Amino acid sequence: MTVYNTPVITSTRNPKIQDIRALQSRAKRRREAGAFIIEGIRLAEEALAVGWQVQLALYTGDLPERGQRILRRLRDAKVPLEEVSADVMAAASDTPTPQGLLLQLPAGTLELELKLDLVLVLDAIQDPGNLGTLLRSAVAAGAGAALLGPGCADAFSPKVLRAAMGAHFTVPILEWNWGQIGDLLSQRELPLYLAEVSAGQRYDLVDMTQPIALLVGNEAHGPGDEARLLAHDGVHIPIPGDAESLNAAVAGSVLLFEAARQRRAKAGA
């Protein structure tokens, strides 16, 4: 057990615990506080690797050595550390099996690179699991940014953070309006291709070795009118089976990895 000269918090009514629970459960509270919560050793390591600030850390006494190394780094950085009982960690956590480490971080995102040649744009993706999966796929496929249009789920909700598996600390994630998105696409000369059920070009016939933005629309309704106004063309994935359409996260991942495949082939890798 490692204790940093503070009494163990054993009450779920402690104000710090109550505030963390509010940050976990309410997007409005996250926006007001300009903060969000991550859980577990892996996400903590990824946040620290990119130099993300930490406002507060909760931990349990049975944290393994890998977690203890994180605590030592945080202590050296003078981050407030609070040991809590297992019951309190369970109350503060958004997962059924807490990993013994929870960090409060200030809201923010990574800076956009000067060169962008693959961008994921999302239009009213409302399911947190879909949103997190798409962000994770964007990182894996080498996208330089993810632009979240109006109507998307909160990118910093616990479910999105878990599904994204550290994407927030790897790729810029920007929650923008359509004017901002359109300005960036124009400035960076990125044609926008909308994922459609059956309209537009077949996805493997589109030249994705060029700078390009790929848009995945709402799970039920597809791309909205404002997204269509910015579009260069549609793109679809042929479905030879009986399904009418693909899940939004699956479709977006297929498109992203087609771009990665074409670029790999062009490079001769």
Side-chain angles (χ1 to χ4, degrees):
M1 178 187 294
T2 298
V3 179
Y4 292 106
N5 300 319
T6 58
V8 178
I9 295 176
T10 58
S11 172
T12 59
R13 295 188 178 184
N14 182 285
K16 292 179 182 177
I17 306 306
Q18 291 291 310
D19 194 43
I20 285 171
R21 293 179 70 174
L23 289 171
Q24 292 272 43
S25 61
R26 300 202 298 271
K28 180 180 178 182
R29 176 58 187 151
R30 289 191 289 272
R31 289 192 296 270
E32 290 172 345
F36 66 103
I37 304 298
I38 61 171
E39 298 187 49
I41 292 171
R42 177 177 173 179
L43 282 183
E45 289 173 337
E46 295 196 17
L48 293 179
V50 299
W52 209 290
Q53 290 184 329
V54 179
Q55 297 174 330
L56 173 68
L58 302 187
Y59 68 96
T60 53
D62 58 354
L63 198 63
E65 175 55 29
R66 188 174 158 198
Q68 295 287 349
R69 288 197 294 271
I70 293 171
L71 290 182
R72 289 193 286 272
R73 287 184 62 182
L74 295 176
R75 178 196 59 194
D76 291 344
K78 304 194 182 310
V79 172
L81 306 178
E82 298 283 359
E83 184 176 359
V84 301
S85 67
D87 288 346
V88 170
M89 182 62 79
S93 174
D94 189 66
T95 66
T97 54
Q99 297 181 43
L101 182 64
L102 181 154
L103 305 184
Q104 178 177 316
L105 309 180
T109 189
L110 302 177
E111 298 222 352
L112 286 171
E113 297 289 337
L114 291 176
K115 181 180 179 183
L116 288 175
D117 61 7
L118 178 59
V119 170
L120 176 65
V121 182
L122 301 177
D123 181 11
I125 296 295
Q126 296 176 348
D127 181 85
N130 283 340
L131 178 53
T133 298
L134 284 161
L135 295 175
R136 185 178 181 184
S137 292
V139 170
L147 309 181
L148 280 55
C152 285
D154 179 12
F156 293 92
S157 75
K159 290 181 180 178
V160 173
L161 286 158
R162 286 198 299 276
M165 292 290 288
H168 294 69
F169 309 119
T170 307
V171 66
I173 298 169
L174 300 162
E175 297 175 303
W176 277 0
N177 61 44
W178 288 112
Q180 292 170 304
I181 292 172
D183 287 345
L184 180 74
L185 297 179
S186 176
Q187 292 164 6
R188 303 299 179 94
E189 298 182 340
L190 293 164
L192 180 64
Y193 284 80
L194 309 185
E196 302 273 26
V197 174
S198 57
Q201 300 184 58
R202 202 174 79 186
Y203 79 113
D204 53 349
L205 298 180
V206 175
D207 179 8
M208 297 191 190
T209 64
Q210 65 174 325
I212 193 172
L214 300 170
L215 181 139
V216 180
N218 176 263
E219 292 91 341
H221 308 295
D225 293 341
E226 291 180 283
R228 292 185 182 281
L229 289 174
L230 301 176
H232 175 80
D233 202 351
V235 57
H236 72 275
I237 302 165
I239 301 176
D242 291 335
E244 292 184 2
S245 63
L246 295 175
N247 167 273
V250 171
S253 299
V254 169
L255 295 177
L256 286 163
F257 277 91
E258 174 61 16
R261 182 196 68 79
Q262 288 187 22
R263 291 162 187 225
R264 191 168 59 248
K266 185 177 180 178

